Amino acid sequence: MAETGGTQPGSGSPMEKVADIASDIGEYIRQQRNTAKISLRQLSKLAGVSNPYLSQIERGVRKPSAEILQQIAKGLRISAEALYVQAGILDLPTGGPVGDAIRADAELTERQKQVLLDVYESFRRENAAARPAAGSVPTADTTDTAPAADTKESA
């Protein structure tokens, strides 16, 4: 451990990143608990996690495992995936600006966000599956050109 590569405070060392993630996930859990109007003790019972341990997680002292996050998610009635993303276990799902807007909306609960994202993604999958079956339309750049005009050009 003598050679640390000259890492300085604030340089983004791995230990600082772990501390930041623990703090972020703890704050996120606290926000979700407060939004759900559940006390720390109630969440402790619902999640099957000890009250002191849950308190340490919320304060950023401890970084919970995926299993503990899953138990907390059940207690909060939110998706475990949302907690995994916050904890840095999973990457943020892609979905473009619509998904980002849904995730960023502070007026929605995590459960409402997840339902909207699920519906949105199901529509996207349905449309993607229908695209190849619709024929050989390679791009959407020709949407303002009528199909009849295409056949005249190709004849």
Side-chain angles (χ1 to χ4, degrees), residues 3-125:
E3 291 180 278
T4 60
T7 56
Q8 301 169 7
S11 66
S13 72
M15 289 304 290
E16 288 175 358
K17 288 179 183 175
V18 169
D20 288 346
I21 290 170
S23 175
D24 291 347
I25 188 63
E27 180 59 32
Y28 183 77
I29 290 169
R30 178 181 288 130
Q31 287 173 352
Q32 294 304 311
R33 183 175 57 77
N34 289 335
T35 300
K37 296 185 170 108
I38 300 173
S39 72
L40 189 68
R41 186 165 291 164
Q42 288 171 318
L43 180 56
S44 170
K45 286 181 182 178
L46 290 169
V49 177
S50 77
N51 194 28
Y53 185 58
L54 188 56
S55 175
Q56 290 174 347
I57 292 169
E58 284 194 359
R59 289 182 285 129
V61 175
R62 298 266 187 152
K63 183 175 184 261
S65 67
E67 293 82 14
I68 296 294
L69 287 174
Q70 186 174 26
Q71 289 175 246
I72 292 170
K74 284 181 184 176
L76 290 170
R77 294 186 177 184
I78 63 173
S79 78
E81 182 183 46
L83 289 183
Y84 293 161
V85 168
Q86 285 295 129
I89 295 171
L90 287 179
D91 290 332
L92 186 64
T94 58
V98 174
D100 292 345
I102 291 170
R103 284 184 206 90
D105 193 331
E107 296 293 316
L108 299 174
T109 66
E110 281 303 311
R111 187 158 194 266
Q112 290 168 334
K113 290 176 188 180
Q114 193 58 52
V115 168
L116 282 172
L117 289 168
D118 289 346
V119 169
Y120 177 67
E121 285 304 317
S122 72
F123 286 148
R124 289 177 49 92
R125 281 191 302 271

